[in-house]
């Protein structure tokens, strides 16, 4: 059974990284901490739409992935 998170992916990352505002996730100086936190997240807790939205929000560019692992790998590798 999948564990359900009460926070969305972006909200969870923002909390774990220590951002005061969700928009702080867009700052390059937070990318290392975001990538670190992503390594400890079960990607299947969140929907593909949430992953695609997170990639688009964090990067400021439009991407569309076919599965959650692709989106996770992309965020960890940028």
């Amino acid at each position: 059974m999948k564990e359900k998170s009460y926070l969305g992916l972006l909200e969870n990352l923002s909390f774990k990284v220590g951002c005061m505002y969700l928009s702080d996730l867009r700052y390059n100086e937070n990318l290392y901490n975001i990538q670190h936190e992503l390594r400890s997240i079960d990607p299947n807790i969140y929907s593909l739409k949430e992953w695609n939205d997170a990639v688009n929000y964090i990067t400021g560019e439009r991407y569309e992935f076919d599965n959650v692992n692709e989106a996770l790998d992309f965020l960890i590798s940028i």
Side-chain angles (χ1 to χ4, degrees):
M1 177 189 291
K2 259 199 264 188
E3 176 185 334
K4 179 63 179 155
S5 176
Y6 292 100
L7 291 176
L9 177 57
L10 286 170
E11 291 83 4
N12 191 14
L13 284 173
S14 179
F15 174 76
K16 287 185 172 193
V17 171
C19 296
M20 182 171 274
Y21 303 103
L22 190 66
S23 60
D24 292 346
L25 289 173
R26 293 182 142 182
Y27 296 132
N28 285 337
E29 62 263 16
N30 290 321
L31 186 57
Y32 175 81
N33 291 331
I34 291 168
Q35 291 168 328
H36 175 74
E37 291 302 331
L38 285 170
R39 289 179 175 90
S40 67
I41 290 177
D42 175 1
N44 297 306
I45 292 173
Y46 302 101
S47 69
L48 178 58
K49 180 182 180 335
E50 279 192 89
W51 279 102
N52 283 324
D53 289 348
V55 170
N56 295 331
Y57 188 80
I58 291 168
T59 65
E61 297 180 28
R62 186 80 182 132
Y63 293 95
E64 196 73 29
F65 296 95
D66 294 326
N67 66 63
V68 297
N69 289 315
E70 288 178 1
L72 172 63
D73 292 343
F74 177 80
L75 280 174
I76 288 175
S77 69
I78 58 173

